[in-house]
Amino acid sequence: MPKPNAVVSALPSTIPFVAPERMERESGRPFAARLGANESSFGPSPRAIEAMQRTARQDVWKYCDPEAFDLTAALARHLGIRPAEIVVGAGIDNLLGLTVRIFSEPGDAIVTSLGAYPTFNYHVNGYGRRLVTVPYRNDRADLDALAETVRRENASIVYLANPDNPMGTWHDAEAIESFAASLPGETLLLLDEAYGEMAPPSALPPLDTGRNNIVRARTFSKAYGLAGLRVGYLVGAEPICAQYHKVRDHFGVNIMAQSAALAALSDCEWLASVLAKVASARERIASIAKESGLAALPSAANFVTIDCGQDGDFAMGVLKALDARSVFIRKPMAPGLDRCIRVSCGLQQELDLFETALPEALAAAGRSRR
Amino acid sequence: MPKPNAVVSALPSTIPFVAPERMERESGRPFAARLGANESSFGPSPRAIEAMQRTARQDVWKYCDPEAFDLTAALARHLGIRPAEIVVGAGIDNLLGLTVRIFSEPGDAIVTSLGAYPTFNYHVNGYGRRLVTVPYRNDRADLDALAETVRRENASIVYLANPDNPMGTWHDAEAIESFAASLPGETLLLLDEAYGEMAPPSALPPLDTGRNNIVRARTFSKAYGLAGLRVGYLVGAEPICAQYHKVRDHFGVNIMAQSAALAALSDCEWLASVLAKVASARERIASIAKESGLAALPSAANFVTIDCGQDGDFAMGVLKALDARSVFIRKPMAPGLDRCIRVSCGLQQELDLFETALPEALAAAGRSRR
């Protein structure tokens, strides 16, 4: 048999996430509330739906534009930057992999928070880089410790999600800017703003594409409700962005994604209505938690992380008991964070189901008496 | 600035293909006949269109199934193999890149035909492997010379498209099987059958997934008319396929692609009708060539390669003159092949335009008197 590459050969067979579809296949029972993947149950803009329907009828037989010209131009206008400062990709996942491939060498240290986005870690391992993790502090990314670790390890890349996933917490723009300024010039800050639209504006530093050591990742999967299509983008200085075009899959952003994202971007009213629904669902999830005597963490994302008040095993028991009640959620897994469960903002009827199931699940998981 | 990876840093800024969309933007003039990208102007099955419309309305906000379970199962049934012998990817382009990444080491020799699919070469260079090319012989891939070069260079991978692109020629199944058998056991044969559905059955060896040193690539972009969606698959032995799952983008095959491909695969009648249209368009293109005194090469694909009877400059002049007449085609570029132009099968009205434009283009390109 042909020998696999040494890096690949050494890798385990893993999947960063077990999908709800697999869980449904295995249980033989569909979820009644899909509150685990931080998708937008509110769906995409009707304009995006119309664009997809038109593309299905007219253009889907054509290869997509490898430059995503129209979408990139619209994003540039929307963000007030130049098209050369944007790289459109097949979702942030794809752009994370490319960033690891492009801005580090095999064996390089790459720093992230312990318990942060698993797909980033998957790519770090997949390219044979060395993952170095830093524990959260008070349920937030520990910026000082991240910067210190970067310096100690001479890291090529540091990954920071702001707002954070899985905790929903965030740092304000000043803290992010100080953090960026404290990094060595040769370290790339990969700032994942997948949840940026849902965050208070004070959490997002102004777009300064004059800085060479930051790329910011954004997506149409969350607020724009197009997770299934796979489309996200990076914003960065032109010389940084230029590297991606040397190795990316040029036809990798499909024609539906390009046309739907373009239409979605134009519909500010829909976005505003979704953001209002997200804000209201966050409040409702927090209040459901409170009814059961649990504390919800503050969230700047489209999910709420709930402290179940005991250890990781208990929180896992709650998750499983919710699963048994057809409510799909996820939970943080790292020590310290694992006492929590993570519940995505969803439709009224999904939250109704969660409201009914949570007290039962807490009891089923053997909640300690208080 | 953070230092790009040494391999990436050394790469030029290239695009494997300049897209027709860019040509249209630059000329300010849309093409009236899109006959250059070997797409299917005949479009996808109405069932696929319906599936996309339904997905747009109902499911597009959900992440796609990272296992492409339903599509993989349907392909397995269709092909009479096991799901573990299939890897679904975001088009063959994506799977070519993964194959290079997985089955070779930096610096390894990888063999292909000189003038074959440029995106494969792009990935070989992109991963810092060493591209070794073998000239065509009589407008076909030179199997003996490819095998000899593999042995001489101790190549990890050899790429062969059958039917061939850009020439449209093919080898029969016996020749492909002898070629595979003549390769060292540690060399992977990457057999690109993107045009397989359009080929005579005698060109396709039986699927023998017991062989560890072959992967075969197929796509929904050609006969199935779904180029814009990006969905293709590999067929190979289970231990070969297993490697891909260690590093691929797990959410990389979008939900539209999965649902449309599944529907398209079920519609044998539509496929048969497209194949009939392709066969008839091939004949028509050959006959248009003949009217102008040019010879069409035999084709087992959804395009016809035409020998313009002079040198590469002349054929390029013909291409440009067709372009000026709003007819988009492409042409082979390698020495010896570059005397040809390549015309995709298209709709009646597109071929009408080509029929009118070709004699004018030959004259404009300064055709020699005979």
Side-chain angles (χ1 to χ4, degrees), chain A residues 177-211:
Chain A
E177 289 195 313
S178 308
F179 173 66
S182 77
L183 296 172
E186 60 273 22
T187 302
L188 184 71
L189 168 56
L190 173 47
L191 182 60
D192 184 341
E193 297 179 330
Y195 299 97
E197 290 85 359
M198 271 85 84
S202 61
L204 305 179
L207 288 176
D208 174 7
T209 50
R211 296 194 62 144

Side-chain angles (χ1 to χ4, degrees), chain B residues 84-146:
Chain B
E85 295 163 340
I86 295 169
V87 181
V88 176
I92 290 181
D93 284 2
N94 171 250
L95 293 164
L96 297 180
L98 283 171
T99 302
V100 170
R101 177 176 170 194
I102 294 170
F103 288 103
S104 64
E105 299 289 340
D108 276 7
I110 295 186
V111 173
T112 184
S113 297
L114 178 63
Y117 192 48
T119 302
F120 180 69
N121 305 356
Y122 171 81
H123 287 306
V124 171
N125 294 326
Y127 283 105
R129 277 54 162 168
R130 189 163 53 87
L131 190 68
V132 181
T133 56
V134 174
Y136 283 66
R137 191 165 58 176
N138 299 328
D139 298 325
R140 300 203 303 169
D142 185 343
L143 300 183
D144 292 341
L146 285 166

